[in-house]
Amino acid sequence: MVYSDSVSSLPRVLLIGAGGIGNPFVLTLARAVRAGETSKFELMIVDDDRVELENLHRQVLFTDADIGSPKALTLARRAREIAPELETSTELTRFLPDSALGFASSATLIVDASDNFATRFLAADACFLAQRPLVSAASVRWVATVLASLPAGPCYRCLFEDLLEGPAPDCSTAGIVGPVCGVAGALAAELALQLLAGQTPSHNLFSFDGRSDTLRTRSFKPRAGCELCGSAASIRELETDRYAGQACGEYE
Ligand SMILES: [Zn+2]
């Protein structure tokens, strides 16, 4: 179900995940809108979760009064409170294989702020197949990793190849550090604003280490054997079994 405050023909930024990275991302993006630093767009937020007390230290736009409320709706409302001119819509669902391509195709730019590897690979595959730019932001313990991938590549799989066999470290097993999420969200917003302005970021990969307070900026290159964007790519459609990884919640 779509909850929308507008019927919009504006460029659409699709945010996957209204959690620890989605919150600072929206804060930065909405303030940029309010300051007139970007042209008009619609922000669509996809998330099926509800605000919990233990979220509040890193999900900075939520308050005690929001506990129990849908994160997507609450985050969209906060965005409009910061920037009343911002148009928003929400989908209270997870980003899953049967809807991923439709979501990606409907958007101008996708920002993946999800909390698990399976969704990150799904978002990357859907964006490449739909030929949409992707900003992917992740935070595990003290390290934040944020990258931008354009339709021409290189893609997310050029760098990370595939889901690990067996359990992989994520927010549910390795823990999460609130300020590092904040850095990830801010970096994602910076990349998104550049892409919305039609600019190609000078670097497409950011890695922040909160223990040493160091930020590395690099540019990753296409990988010849990439399963998604390489010359003999094998991924040509979204198959549910490919995204069977689990993290902060399992696919049903
Ligand atoms: Zn690739």
Side-chain angles (χ1 to χ4, degrees):
M1 185 180 296
V2 180
Y3 298 82
S4 177
D5 64 343
S6 68
V7 177
S8 175
S9 58
L10 293 170
R12 173 181 286 171
V13 176
L14 172 67
L15 171 65
I16 306 169
I21 296 174
N23 267 254
F25 170 79
V26 167
L27 174 63
T28 308
L29 205 68
R31 290 198 184 279
V33 170
R34 188 64 185 140
E37 293 178 0
T38 180
S39 54
K40 285 199 77 173
F41 61 89
E42 175 200 352
L43 174 65
M44 172 181 271
I45 304 173
V46 179
D47 193 297
D48 73 338
D49 206 1
R50 290 177 180 269
V51 180
E52 298 178 28
L53 176 62
E54 51 266 35
N55 298 149
L56 299 183
H57 74 98
R58 63 183 185 276
Q59 299 180 15
V60 292
L61 289 176
F62 299 149
T63 68
D64 283 66
D66 299 321
I67 291 171
S69 300
K71 290 182 179 180
L73 287 174
T74 309
L75 190 56
R77 188 167 67 246
R78 290 288 130 72
R80 295 195 305 274
E81 288 169 0
I82 295 168
E85 62 272 62
L86 182 60
E87 298 194 19
T88 64
S89 58
T90 51
E91 286 267 5
L92 307 188
T93 182
R94 299 194 68 186
F95 189 80
L96 295 171
D98 59 359
S99 59
L101 204 51
F103 274 130
S105 299
S106 78
T108 310
L109 166 69
I110 293 85
V111 177
D112 174 25
S114 63
D115 57 12
N116 65 87
F117 281 105
T119 304
R120 281 181 218 137
F121 279 99
L122 174 60
D125 294 353
C127 284
F128 183 79
L129 293 174
Q131 286 290 282
R132 295 293 189 271
L134 167 72
V135 173
S136 179
S139 177
V140 176
R141 298 206 72 186
W142 292 97
V143 176
T145 305
V146 183
L147 65 84
S149 173
L150 296 174
C155 77
Y156 184 86
R157 284 185 185 270
C158 287
L159 197 60
F160 294 110
E161 297 196 25
D162 208 347
L163 281 164
L164 295 173
E165 295 283 340
D170 56 44
C171 63
S172 67
T173 56
I176 199 161
V177 179
V180 178
C181 287
V183 174
L187 289 169
E190 180 183 329
L191 286 171
L193 288 168
Q194 289 180 47
L195 291 168
L196 278 172
Q199 301 166 358
T200 301
S202 55
H203 295 90
N204 58 18
L205 179 61
F206 295 80
S207 178
F208 175 75
D209 188 327
R211 290 163 300 194
S212 57
D213 265 341
T214 52
L215 176 66
R216 293 183 66 196
T217 58
R218 288 171 286 167
S219 290
F220 68 101
K221 305 273 190 262
R223 182 169 57 85
C226 178
E227 297 81 356
L228 185 61
C229 74
S231 56
S234 60
I235 298 174
R236 304 192 186 282
E237 58 184 304
L238 303 179
E239 297 168 355
T240 305
D241 291 350
R242 188 178 287 124
Y243 313 98
Q246 296 146 14
C248 296
E250 298 184 8
Y251 293 134
E252 292 96 23

